[in-house]
Amino acid sequence: MADQTIGAHEETRRDFLYVATGAVAAVGAAMAIWPFIDQMNPAADVLALSSIEVDLSPVPVGQQITVNWRGKPVFVRHRTEADIEEARAVPIEELRDPQTDEERVVKPEWLVMVGICTHLGCVPLADQGDFDGWFCPCHGSHYDSSGRIRKGPAPLNLAIPGYAFIDDTTIRVG
Amino acid sequence: MQALLNNGFIRWFDNRLPVLSWTNHHMMEYPAPRNLNYAWNFGSLAGLALVLQIVTGIVLAMHYTPHADMAFDSVERIMRDVNYGWLLRYMHANGASFFFIVVYLHIARGLYYGSYKAPREVLWWLGLVILLLMMATAFMGYVLPWGQMSFWGATVITNLFSAIPLIGEPIVQWLWGGFAVGNATLNRFFSLHFLLPFVIVGVVVLHLWALHHKKSNNPLGIDYKGPQDFIPFHPYYTIKDAFGAGVFLILFAIFLFYAPNYMGHPDNYIPADPLVTPAHIVPEWYFLPFYAILRAIPDKLGGVLAMGASIFILFLLPWLDTSRIRSATFRPVFKWFFWLLMIDLVVLGFCGANPPEGFWVPLSQVATVYYFLHFLILLPLIGWFERPRPLPDSIAKPVLKA
């Protein structure tokens, strides 16, 4: 009796063929979709521009240059002794995103950071704000002389890109 | 589908916007003649090709630059740098050819089985409108890579309008937006090439509306007598169309991966140069028969008119064919002339592909005359004098007897 009510539709070879056909079509469609998604990722020529070399020799102490790396501003700051001392005197437990100044530099006099506010992506202004560093005009985030977030809505310190000194006055970013 | 409609929320939604019951009505329950053969696969394949062109085209437009100075390089960047750009562009270029292949076969099916006859004349007209829109779209798309063939193809085709007496010259300058094909032309062609496929989608909807209103023709070409002549579209023709789509995609993949430039011209990999015309310019293969008709007439205006007439004559076909029998299966004389017309079109294609010299000139003239002879003289006469073979009583009878 139970068989008659529940098993009214028996499984047949046709059911198997339907499921198999559908499965092949679904896998094929999924594989065919990938090129249409991947085409929006950065293209080969964009990736080829992903590292740049920067000559540091023209930047005097206390000054900053901004270079374009992957379409983003990178701040290269030639810091004064006062800047460095101020950054290193900050007690680490006061920081929202705890990081020592030593962790953020290769050579203490050169601070290299992505100049994009970690709040919503504006470019902070140099030599402004309450901490002798940077100030973002969009929503009022203050960064110190090491580029660490001290006040305002941004959650993280200004990002440090991967970079290395090729010689004393040249770095390669990326 | 029926199981879905048992769900409370879906029933509530369908009651307010009947998408599901509409889909069920038109794509599942839709009664299709039970005797359709594989010649009836090309309609759904044309739909598949259209979707493929729109999807790849939208993606290509994300990387293409419609400017005379940058278009060629942006296409080369798609080929070299954009992820899978080579695949997407080859899909689009070969997809255009495959779209025309299936549409021409679809039209040939209609010619053979008399699908243009009453009560399907409007369905036939809408199909021809789609063909004209496809031709315009394909032509403008071919201009976009801004290679030598693009540039000179655009020059030659737009100059067709200069054959119009008095206003021809101003019309051509209006089309160009200048005194020659240039950046303004490229920009408007890009805009229209993006627009027209969606116009095609609109006409396809009307085409399907007309089809579902009068129902499909069938290989016997006889009217349906009752429900025994039909089977539901799903699963019988969904699965048959899916099988056809598989075969189509295999053939498409062979060209795509092993001969992606077979149907193109190497000259189009040379950047457009307004000062030098390539030695031998030909349109894409799907325009060759019409190109041959254009060149067959030794008069500028005459050639243009003949080429236009070769397509517009098809709009009159339902009345030029005087036979009331639809399917060539029961028309012993018409059947021969159908195949002669097909051979004539292939001959015209070869004439269009070869330079207009030597025997190609008289051959293309004979083939052009025959093309018009077929429609204007032979079809009406065959309809009057042919004695058709006896028609079966119903669609169902021969099927069920076997």
Side-chain angles (χ1 to χ4, degrees), chain B residues 78-394:
Chain B
I78 289 170
M79 295 302 288
R80 293 155 193 243
D81 289 338
V82 174
N83 300 322
Y84 294 102
W86 58 274
L87 177 66
L88 298 165
R89 176 163 173 264
Y90 280 152
M91 280 176 88
H92 199 68
N94 287 282
S97 279
F98 271 76
F99 197 3
F100 274 98
I101 290 172
V102 293
V103 161
Y104 283 158
L105 290 171
H106 187 62
I107 295 171
R109 193 285 321 275
L111 289 174
Y112 187 84
Y113 291 109
S115 301
Y116 47 85
K117 291 183 188 180
R120 298 185 183 82
E121 302 95 322
V122 173
L123 176 62
W124 172 253
W125 282 349
L126 288 166
L128 291 173
V129 170
I130 293 170
L131 176 66
L132 288 171
L133 286 168
M134 277 174 64
M135 288 175 151
T137 310
F139 158 65
M140 288 191 277
Y142 193 63
V143 175
L144 302 185
W146 212 240
Q148 275 289 67
M149 282 295 180
S150 301
F151 185 89
W152 293 101
T155 302
V156 168
I157 300 299
T158 48
N159 262 312
L160 293 179
F161 293 90
S162 71
I164 304 167
L166 296 174
I167 54 165
E169 201 61 31
I171 284 183
V172 172
Q173 288 186 3
W174 174 75
L175 288 172
W176 288 339
F179 303 103
V181 172
N183 190 51
T185 325
L186 177 61
N187 265 288
R188 62 193 59 182
F189 278 17
F190 177 62
S191 170
L192 293 172
H193 183 73
F194 208 118
L195 167 72
L196 287 185
F198 298 98
V199 177
I200 293 177
V201 170
V203 185
V204 166
V205 169
L206 295 178
H207 191 68
L208 290 174
W209 188 0
L211 174 73
H212 281 219
H213 183 58
K214 286 296 171 190
K215 303 281 183 291
S216 302
N217 185 27
N218 65 83
L220 296 176
I222 55 177
D223 289 325
Y224 40 85
K225 300 278 187 330
Q228 72 279 7
D229 289 343
F230 293 117
I231 46 177
F233 191 78
H234 178 77
Y236 296 103
Y237 290 116
T238 44
I239 207 71
K240 193 169 183 172
D241 281 346
F243 177 73
V247 174
F248 171 86
L249 289 173
I250 289 170
L251 293 172
F252 185 48
I254 289 172
F255 271 87
L256 195 55
F257 294 113
Y258 297 99
N261 288 306
Y262 182 76
M263 290 182 281
H265 299 289
D267 272 16
N268 218 29
Y269 286 103
I270 302 169
D273 182 351
L275 305 181
V276 182
T277 306
H280 178 211
I281 79 162
V282 280
E284 292 283 81
W285 69 266
Y286 37 81
F287 291 137
L288 289 176
F290 307 104
Y291 190 58
I293 291 175
L294 170 76
R295 295 193 306 190
I297 314 287
D299 174 76
K300 187 171 176 179
L301 180 59
V304 174
L305 288 178
M307 187 174 70
S310 68
I311 292 174
F312 282 100
I313 204 169
L314 296 174
F315 281 89
L316 303 177
L317 185 56
W319 298 275
L320 289 171
D321 185 348
T322 49
S323 171
R324 283 185 296 126
I325 309 297
R326 293 197 192 98
S327 173
T329 311
F330 305 104
R331 300 187 60 191
V333 182
F334 170 80
K335 193 189 257 179
W336 285 101
F337 284 96
F338 168 83
W339 289 112
L340 259 178
L341 179 71
M342 293 300 117
I343 292 168
D344 187 57
L345 284 166
V346 172
V347 169
L348 279 170
F350 277 100
C351 291
N354 282 285
E357 306 159 353
F359 75 98
W360 292 110
V361 178
L363 185 62
S364 63
Q365 287 168 342
V366 169
T368 300
V369 168
Y370 183 79
Y371 181 87
F372 288 103
L373 190 74
H374 174 91
F375 288 107
L376 292 174
I377 312 285
L378 295 177
L379 270 187
L381 289 181
I382 294 166
W384 281 321
F385 293 112
E386 181 181 52
R387 180 197 291 268
R389 290 170 47 206
L391 293 174
D393 295 333
S394 78

Side-chain angles (χ1 to χ4, degrees), chain A residues 18 38-39 41-45, chain B residues 55 59 63 77 81 83-84 88 235:
Chain A
Y18 273 136
D38 193 36
Q39 54 88 17
N41 277 319
D45 59 332
Chain B
V55 172
V59 162
H63 304 283
R77 183 177 169 272
D81 289 338
N83 300 322
Y84 294 102
L88 298 165

Side-chain angles (χ1 to χ4, degrees), chain A:
Chain A
M1 292 295 270
D3 280 336
Q4 279 176 342
T5 48
I6 299 165
H9 177 75
E10 270 189 61
E11 285 178 13
T12 61
R13 296 201 315 171
R14 176 161 293 182
D15 290 328
F16 172 76
L17 285 172
Y18 273 136
V19 173
T21 307
V24 169
V27 170
M31 278 161 56
I33 282 170
W34 175 244
F36 291 88
I37 294 169
D38 193 36
Q39 54 88 17
M40 284 172 76
N41 277 319
D45 59 332
V46 176
L47 295 176
L49 294 174
S50 62
S51 75
I52 55 165
E53 289 180 11
V54 183
D55 179 13
L56 303 177
S57 54
V59 189
V61 175
Q63 296 293 308
Q64 162 183 326
I65 58 166
T66 305
V67 294
N68 189 329
W69 174 63
R70 293 181 175 174
K72 298 187 282 198
V74 166
F75 296 158
V76 180
R77 179 93 180 178
H78 198 168
R79 297 196 293 184
T80 61
E81 283 302 319
D83 285 336
I84 299 167
E85 275 165 34
E86 188 185 342
R88 299 196 167 179
V90 179
I92 193 125
E93 55 275 12
E94 271 184 25
L95 298 173
R96 181 177 302 166
D97 179 14
Q99 220 177 7
T100 64
D101 186 61
E102 287 86 346
E103 289 175 81
R104 293 177 56 79
V105 290
V106 175
K107 293 185 180 180
E109 63 271 33
W110 293 104
L111 178 62
V112 180
M113 327 181 276
V114 176
I116 290 182
C117 180
T118 56
H119 182 221
L120 291 171
C122 299
V123 179
L125 304 168
D127 303 310
Q128 290 193 33
D130 301 345
F131 299 90
D132 298 322
W134 288 263
F135 171 70
C136 182
C138 290
H139 306 95
S141 291
H142 298 252
Y143 297 90
D144 66 14
S145 61
S146 187
R148 293 173 296 197
I149 181 64
R150 300 296 290 275
K151 192 175 146 189
L156 298 173
N157 303 333
L158 292 178
I160 306 294
Y163 71 97
F165 279 85
I166 302 172
D167 55 47
D168 282 351
T169 57
T170 314
I171 55 168
R172 179 185 287 133
V173 184

